[in-house]
Amino acid sequence: MAVKLSRRKLLATAGAAAAMSSFKINVARSQETPIKIGFPVPISGPYGTEANDQIRCAQLAIDWFNQESPRKAELVVRDDKLDPGEAATRTLELIESDKVDFICGSLSASVQLSVNQVASKRGVIYNSISQSDTINEASDFTKYTFHEALNPHMTAGAVARYVFSRAKGKKIAYLIADYAYGHEMQRGFRRVAAEMGMEEVAEVRHPLGTTDYSAFFPRIQAARPDILLVVNFGRDQLNTLKQATDFGLKQQMQIVYPVLLDTQRFAGGFEPFEGVIGGANYYWTLEDQFESAKRLNDAYRAKYPDQGVPTAYGALEQYFRKCDHQAVQSVLIIRAKAPSEMRNQWDIFEVLDTQPADEKFLRTCEELGHKA
């Protein structure tokens, strides 16, 4: 894995897929008018912590770009409230009132589709930072659509291959948020499970924003899985793991997430997360291997000393696939550490493995409905 912090990469982080496409912004055309990046994210609601983390990291990218470029950039943030209708309204506002050059953001599969529809109809580039497979499919894709985030097929596939190949048993169960994100991640897990001969013994779905998971656990326990695959996000993740720990599920089965969040780990402490395995696209200890990662981390810590580590910054080496503008990048497999393993308060995960950036881990362009 390589880490680059070039101006092009910084732009990609802030949503400027245009810098790597045929829709290039001419930086030299005006040194007075800033490049305006619309950034709709769910500041309100169960993903608020993650949204604010994304804002911090996007602003860091803007700051770095402004240090290097004679033409400046500006981040214009709006709260999409994790609601597709609200997101459509805010996106239209960003385009028509704020006159943004392009759009980046959203942390929900359904919300990003709404943003994409509004932006595409108005000929404005949209770079999604939400994990979704749907936005890459031909039915929702346009030439203005870019997807910088990992997608569920990549993430769930990488985590599944690692966990299933090392499992002591073949029985798996699912606890998933009942909306597009949960369904798409489950599809990725199921594909690998079928290839590796895993046995599905239970599937439980829960509404987005559930606070009490106690009613779901007895059915899972009764199925006696070796692995529990949980697919939810934000506060849902923290509430699930707190209650699963109280129920003793971690003593009975390995809990696995496709995306393991450091924001919720910091909020919830070590006990609910200890031993849980998941996926990520970046972790700060890469600074031990790569000077460019250390440069990023130092800059983040200087700007946000109360946060300590960068958590949502797209700094991995990557490129966009031509047919669907999906970023091809590495996936980290991580495990939440116990207190005795932590070298400092920020050292919360161990990187177990890395799935390299390779198109073979994506669904094919033909499968997504694109012409060969």
Side-chain angles (χ1 to χ4, degrees), residues 13-31:
T13 306
M20 285 171 279
S21 75
S22 58
F23 303 94
K24 291 182 179 179
I25 294 174
N26 184 357
V27 176
R29 74 184 180 192
S30 172
Q31 303 304 328

Side-chain angles (χ1 to χ4, degrees), residues 81 179 222 239 252 268 294 306 309 348:
K81 299 182 180 178
Y179 75 118
N239 288 334
Q252 301 166 12
K294 187 176 188 308
D306 58 322
V309 293
I348 57 174

